[in-house]
Amino acid sequence: MLAEESLLEVCAIEQHSLDEYESEMPRWCKGCGDHGVLAALQRVLRKNNLEPENVVSVSGIGCSSRLPHYLNTYGFHGIHGRALPISTGVRLARPELPVITIMGDGDCFSIGGNHWLHAIRYNINAVVLVLDNEVYALTKMQASPTTPDGTKTNTTPHGTYLQPLNPLSAVMGMTNVSFLAQTATWLPAHLDETIEKAWNHHGLSFVRILQRCPVFMPKAFGEGGLNFPVVFLENEDGIPVHPLLRKRGETQAHDHRDINEAQRVAVSVDPAPMGLIYQNRDLPTYEDIRWQRKDRPDRATFLERLDAAVDRYTVT
Ligand code: SF4
């Protein structure tokens, strides 16, 4: 058993309020989908009654990566594309601390693409949220890997030439995939349920969140979800579909434990699948594997050996 379980027991002593998870006023634009993700995360932290200082949020660079500034937890605003290696380091060094990783589409799928694929395979125990607005927005509209074909941006003034990347099928093609879900910022009840489900999964919970960006991509996702075809994946052990959501799209029975069925769903884009696409509860996490190593030295011995190794490179 990792120390994280005993930490959660300690945290159950006192009920925290929502404002204990709030920090400075967000600087995102009016109507930006990032506001909804922040609020959903705060609600999930309160529901699970976690000590704010015992949660770590890690991000890369981009509009959505400002989220750790606005969430009252221990925060690490990292460098572009490198949020996942930082999260892996935190999980290995302090496995008792829950980690939330927040990235954007350019951050995760392009600059951090290498780290993304290997983090799926490592299966660290962390919630990984990618807020996908289909563009680099912080730097004022350059094409990202998920920008729709033909979109005019500052780097593609005549329109993008390539078909967009499908992150869902990419994840389902990786070894050791543990949890994959998709939701959207204009479906707040579904967003809450999805993050809650991801939070309660032991392993890397990868969630793609389709995110409104009314400033640079007002037409994306059928004008911010108004005319965007979706299908809700339904399973009694999946992400609940609120009765009001049924007006927004059809539902489809789906067995998220069946990898072949999940791979079929992951390649479909029209309508976009919403819900839990795949879950495997039986995979060991990378922390489990590393901490159970029988030849692992105790912390003091480890630090002593690390010092000795670093001293070998001392310049005198
Ligand atoms: S530019 Fe787009 S993604 Fe960035 S804060 Fe504004 S609405 Fe949000």
Side-chain angles (χ1 to χ4, degrees), residues 253-288:
H254 174 66
D255 184 359
H256 53 260
R257 290 156 294 221
D258 180 338
I259 194 162
N260 295 314
E261 197 173 324
Q263 283 170 338
R264 274 196 298 278
V265 164
V267 296
S268 59
V269 291
D270 187 11
M274 293 285 158
L276 181 54
I277 296 168
Y278 185 66
Q279 185 174 27
N280 184 344
R281 293 193 172 98
D282 298 328
L283 293 173
T285 65
Y286 189 58
E287 306 90 298
D288 292 337

Side-chain angles (χ1 to χ4, degrees), residues 27-35 62-64 133 135 137-138 211-217:
R27 287 193 210 164
W28 294 310
C29 309
K30 194 175 169 186
C32 176
D34 293 350
H35 293 283
C63 289
S64 54
N133 58 1
V135 76
L138 187 72
Q211 183 229 309
R212 277 176 169 157
C213 171
V215 173
F216 293 116
M217 294 294 279

